[in-house]
Amino acid sequence: MSSKRIYHQYCGLAAALDILGERWTLMIIRELLVRPRRYGELLNNLPGIGTNLLAERLKFLVDEGIVAQVEVDGSRRQAYHLTETGQDLRPIVLGLARWGLHHLEDYSSEYSVRASWGLLAVEAMIDQDRVSVDEQYEFKIDDETFHIDVSDSVVHVIAGPAATPSVTVKTDAVTFVQIGAQKLSPLAATVTGKLSLEGDANAVLRACALLGLEADPLAAAAG
Amino acid sequence: MSSKRIYHQYCGLAAALDILGERWTLMIIRELLVRPRRYGELLNNLPGIGTNLLAERLKFLVDEGIVAQVEVDGSRRQAYHLTETGQDLRPIVLGLARWGLHHLEDYSSEYSVRASWGLLAVEAMIDQDRVSVDEQYEFKIDDETFHIDVSDSVVHVIAGPAATPSVTVKTDAVTFVQIGAQKLSPLAATVTGKLSLEGDANAVLRACALLGLEADPLAAAAG
DNA sequence: CTGCATCCGCCTCGATACTG
DNA sequence: CAGTATCGAGGCGGATGCAG
């Protein structure tokens, strides 16, 4: 009956995978790391998942104390969000995403892409050891706007526009992920008109360095 | 046909899970993070895996460049070991193991345990920000011996005995994991004879602090 | 005996239909 | 919009077979 498939090993990794290891589970958590989501949003951002599976996974994650439901501002609509325990998974999911970026194949139309994944891609790419001056870099990826804030040598990725951005990056989601996966250089994307960079040239170089990208001088000059 | 179940998303996490997300895959990698393993060792340390699945997973991981086969010293016996790309997964697997340790249930006999998992548990528990003096702590868990080496404020976990250990810990695998999961305090394990601590009392306290354990004065006094 | 391959029953998964 | 119910397809687990 309720014989869920678990590993039966007294080991931290086995315990983690007993909770997170099934198909779609970490993808759901990825979605909730960006922001709280409604059921329909999750369905839309996870093409291929069965509606029953999504409901079952959410119920399980709520039982495990990783996800909770909240009322959305007065209406009776509900949304799912990560508890503190769930937020603890952020560095793990970002680590997996960074590792996986290097294994992405060339883009083809059979892939689906969402702009909001760019936010997590940026977080995954950031090299905390390469912080230089305090400033902000704004990203407009399709309809999503967010920014990197460097203050007192601490880096944060924050939803919404920046107050005083040194650089503003504008592109589409596919181009952005291709750059993150090193399939496309910022220079190549700029000259083909897929990417626009506005702001101080040196700030562009610092942003590239922070994200581990080729600090291409020509890409900066194009801004 | 060869329609492997993948996510079809242009995203780093999806790419990572397309490779690592299937059942048993990360458990195999955990085994290879401890040391290179022969096929039979893997079968023995992964109770419940089908022999066909293990063979299939290994073949896939070799194709992906994460695992490679090596000749074991002259004999024609082969062993599997992680490539550099595979070793890059160490912080991720350790992060999952650390997260999962907090979700372990009480031990029961239906769990299997292996002493070698203690080595990874130690690595997962280490808090790099709590390094104090340079010294070595030796662990003898069942038939496995390894040690933590702190040199110039850098921590390494190394197989085999320590040259000059400040502390020697001796216990069984179940007790060790229970302590790591905070189900059992070092003190309680010591007074019941499950754990023996030899060495300088203050070094024991430093070792506990490094591993994020209650620095229990009585446990140190019992050494 | 080790290192796999083959076969088969079962359970998870994915798609569609259906309900409040 | 937010799920629940149902059912075919395929991944998984265990037993068995077989070659070096």
Side-chain angles (χ1 to χ4, degrees), chain A residues 41-220:
Chain A
E41 289 181 282
L42 291 171
L43 263 189
N44 176 58
N45 283 347
L46 300 172
I49 194 174
T51 60
N52 54 345
L53 257 199
L54 177 57
E56 184 184 319
R57 294 283 186 271
L58 286 170
K59 196 179 299 179
F60 176 72
L61 290 172
V62 169
D63 283 347
E64 293 289 329
I66 294 159
V67 169
Q69 284 178 286
V70 278
E71 312 271 334
V72 176
D73 54 17
S75 92
R76 87 179 63 99
R77 285 137 130 35
Q78 292 202 331
Y80 295 90
H81 73 111
L82 292 173
T83 64
E84 198 169 334
T85 304
Q87 292 284 351
D88 290 341
L89 292 168
R90 181 178 295 271
I92 294 167
V93 171
L94 292 178
L96 276 168
R98 172 188 279 235
W99 185 89
L101 265 181
H102 302 307
H103 291 265
L104 263 182
E105 303 173 357
D106 290 332
Y107 177 76
S108 83
S109 60
E110 63 196 28
Y111 285 105
S112 57
V113 191
R114 295 291 182 280
S116 64
W117 303 344
L119 194 152
L120 285 176
V122 164
E123 262 192 276
M125 292 163 67
I126 287 176
D127 187 346
Q128 299 279 354
D129 297 334
R130 288 190 172 253
V131 175
S132 44
V133 305
D134 286 9
E135 58 189 347
Q136 302 175 322
Y137 315 113
E138 184 171 283
F139 295 81
K140 296 184 177 185
I141 303 181
D142 292 341
D143 53 338
E144 293 270 341
T145 300
F146 59 91
H147 66 280
I148 298 178
D149 179 274
V150 184
S151 300
D152 300 325
S153 299
V154 178
V155 187
H156 285 108
V157 178
I158 304 168
T164 56
S166 301
V167 180
T168 298
V169 182
K170 215 174 157 182
T171 185
D172 62 285
V174 172
T175 302
F176 190 83
V177 177
Q178 285 177 319
I179 292 173
Q182 321 258 20
K183 295 283 182 188
L184 190 64
S185 72
L187 171 62
T190 302
V191 297
T192 56
K194 300 262 188 191
L195 176 78
S196 95
L197 293 167
E198 290 174 19
D200 177 61
N202 284 323
V204 170
L205 295 182
R206 289 192 293 271
C208 284
L210 184 65
L211 296 177
L213 297 171
E214 294 283 323
D216 198 315
L218 285 176

Side-chain angles (χ1 to χ4, degrees), chain B:
Chain B
M1 298 299 93
S2 68
S3 61
K4 186 173 182 305
R5 201 130 76 181
I6 60 177
Y7 285 110
H8 297 290
Q9 295 190 0
Y10 209 61
C11 156
L13 180 67
L17 292 180
D18 282 344
I19 297 173
L20 308 170
E22 289 170 309
R23 191 163 165 78
W24 290 112
T25 303
L26 282 173
M27 302 288 274
I28 293 169
I29 288 170
R30 177 199 65 188
E31 286 302 306
L32 301 182
L33 280 171
V34 175
R35 73 175 75 95
R37 300 282 198 183
R38 302 239 317 275
Y39 186 89
E41 288 181 285
L42 291 171
L43 262 190
N44 176 58
N45 283 346
L46 300 172
I49 194 174
T51 61
N52 53 345
L53 257 200
L54 177 56
E56 185 183 320
R57 294 284 186 273
L58 285 170
K59 196 179 298 180
F60 176 72
L61 290 172
V62 168
D63 284 347
E64 292 290 329
I66 294 159
V67 168
Q69 285 178 286
V70 277
E71 313 271 333
V72 175
D73 53 16
S75 94
R76 87 178 61 99
R77 286 141 129 34
Q78 291 204 331
Y80 295 90
H81 78 290
L82 292 174
T83 65
E84 198 169 334
T85 304
Q87 292 284 351
D88 291 341
L89 292 168
R90 182 179 293 271
I92 295 168
V93 171
L94 292 178
L96 276 169
R98 172 188 280 234
W99 185 90
L101 265 182
H102 302 307
H103 291 266
L104 263 182
E105 302 173 358
D106 290 331
Y107 176 75
S108 82
S109 60
E110 63 197 28
Y111 285 106
S112 58
V113 190
R114 296 290 182 279
S116 64
W117 303 344
L119 195 154
L120 285 177
V122 164
E123 261 192 277
M125 291 164 66
I126 287 176
D127 187 345
Q128 299 277 355
D129 297 333
R130 288 193 172 250
V131 175
S132 44
V133 304
D134 286 9
E135 57 189 347
Q136 302 175 322
Y137 314 114
E138 184 171 283
F139 295 80
K140 296 185 177 185
I141 303 181
D142 292 342
D143 54 335
E144 293 270 342
T145 299
F146 59 91
H147 66 281
I148 299 178
D149 180 273
V150 184
S151 300
D152 301 325
S153 299
V154 178
V155 187
H156 286 107
V157 178
I158 304 168
T164 56
S166 301
V167 179
T168 299
V169 182
K170 215 174 158 185
T171 186
D172 62 286
V174 172
T175 302
F176 190 81
V177 177
Q178 285 177 318
I179 292 173
Q182 321 258 20
K183 295 283 182 188
L184 189 64
S185 72
L187 171 62
T190 303
V191 298
T192 56
K194 300 263 189 190
L195 177 76
S196 94
L197 294 168
E198 291 173 19
D200 177 61
N202 284 323
V204 170
L205 295 182
R206 288 193 294 271
C208 284
L210 183 64
L211 296 177
L213 296 171
E214 295 283 323
D216 198 317
L218 286 176

